[in-house]
Amino acid sequence: EAVVGYLLALNRIGADDFAEADARVLQALGHELVLTLHSYQLFAQVLEERERFQRIFSGSKEGICLLDDSGTVRAWNPALERLSGYRESDVIGSVWSEKVLIRNQALRRLERMELVGSGSEELELVTKEGPARYVSVQSGPVQTRDETGWVVLVRDVTAEHQLEAAKSDFLSTISHELKTPLTTIKGSLQIITRSDVEALV
């Protein structure tokens, strides 16, 4: 109901007022212009949202990919390129599991939509150059007008994995080192407390 502009009409034929039919034509033209203007505003909003998404998608430090229901890659961001070693052009239009090797904790290769259902399990991603990285994966559905897809967030947890492994090794080593003298002390105490052993003076 707000005023968005003015339509100025000049009668070039003569000084007579516009007829009622002319007014109806001008009114229809005015409504059409308002609809067109509104469409342009919506289009500008969509472009702004798309640019905002593209900035987030491209600038994210986390790997992001978009999969369709068959596991085919529709988008692959630069962070995921750096993490996996596979460029966007290598995987776009392909089923991700035909290009990228990701294994679960049982070292079984994940296929197609198994990646979406992997939950919070730590996974092993074998990079294009060979060395493995440890990743956690979170996913969620995305509905477009034409199809349902999945956005998959891939986070590199290699540093955390290595830290946990180092802590485990350290605790194992400490446990072993403590057991050795304790076993000797325990054996000596058992000998001392035996009743059939004479005390040495």
Side-chain angles (χ1 to χ4, degrees):
E1 298 297 326
V3 175
V4 293
Y6 296 92
L7 177 62
L8 177 64
L10 301 174
N11 189 344
R12 298 190 305 160
I13 297 174
D16 296 337
D17 290 338
F18 285 102
E20 188 177 336
D22 296 326
R24 284 197 300 271
V25 169
L26 289 173
Q27 187 177 23
L29 179 59
H31 284 303
E32 193 65 34
L33 288 172
V34 168
L35 288 174
T36 303
L37 180 61
H38 187 60
S39 296
Y40 274 114
Q41 289 171 338
L42 289 176
F43 184 69
Q45 288 175 1
V46 168
L47 280 181
E48 185 180 343
E49 289 296 321
R50 183 176 291 178
E51 287 172 6
R52 183 180 297 131
F53 170 77
Q54 190 60 41
R55 285 195 300 271
I56 294 170
F57 185 77
S58 299
S60 173
K61 293 181 180 179
E62 309 291 344
I64 304 172
C65 68
L66 185 65
L67 306 177
D68 66 14
D69 275 336
S70 66
T72 301
V73 178
R74 298 298 179 202
W76 191 266
N77 80 335
L80 200 47
E81 286 186 355
R82 290 189 295 275
L83 177 60
S84 68
Y86 291 92
R87 299 175 54 155
E88 183 182 36
S89 56
D90 296 335
V91 294
I92 287 289
S94 303
V95 174
W96 74 268
S97 54
E98 294 174 358
K99 301 284 184 174
V100 183
L101 172 58
I102 295 181
R103 296 185 288 221
N104 63 12
Q105 291 176 350
L107 298 181
R108 188 181 65 78
R109 182 180 189 139
L110 298 185
E111 301 285 343
R112 296 182 176 266
M113 300 312 292
E114 289 179 324
L115 184 65
V116 171
S118 61
S120 58
E121 180 185 4
E122 186 178 278
L123 304 172
E124 183 184 28
L125 185 154
V126 178
T127 65
K128 189 175 183 180
E129 288 75 28
R133 308 290 297 173
Y134 292 92
V135 296
S136 68
V137 175
Q138 293 179 333
S139 58
V142 176
Q143 181 68 50
T144 64
R145 187 176 60 184
D146 302 324
E147 61 183 356
T148 302
W150 294 86
V151 62
V152 180
L153 182 67
V154 182
R155 183 169 163 264
D156 188 356
V157 295
T158 305
E160 291 95 323
H161 177 86
Q162 290 171 341
L163 180 61
E164 284 299 318
K167 280 166 56 178
S168 178
D169 288 346
F170 175 75
L171 291 174
S172 176
T173 302
I174 290 296
S175 174
H176 176 72
E177 292 298 325
L178 286 174
K179 279 181 184 176
T180 304
L182 288 176
T183 303
T184 306
I185 293 169
K186 183 179 176 184
S188 299
L189 288 174
Q190 286 174 344
I191 292 172
I192 291 172
T193 58
R194 283 175 52 184
S195 59
D196 60 333
V197 176
E198 294 181 9
L200 298 175
V201 179

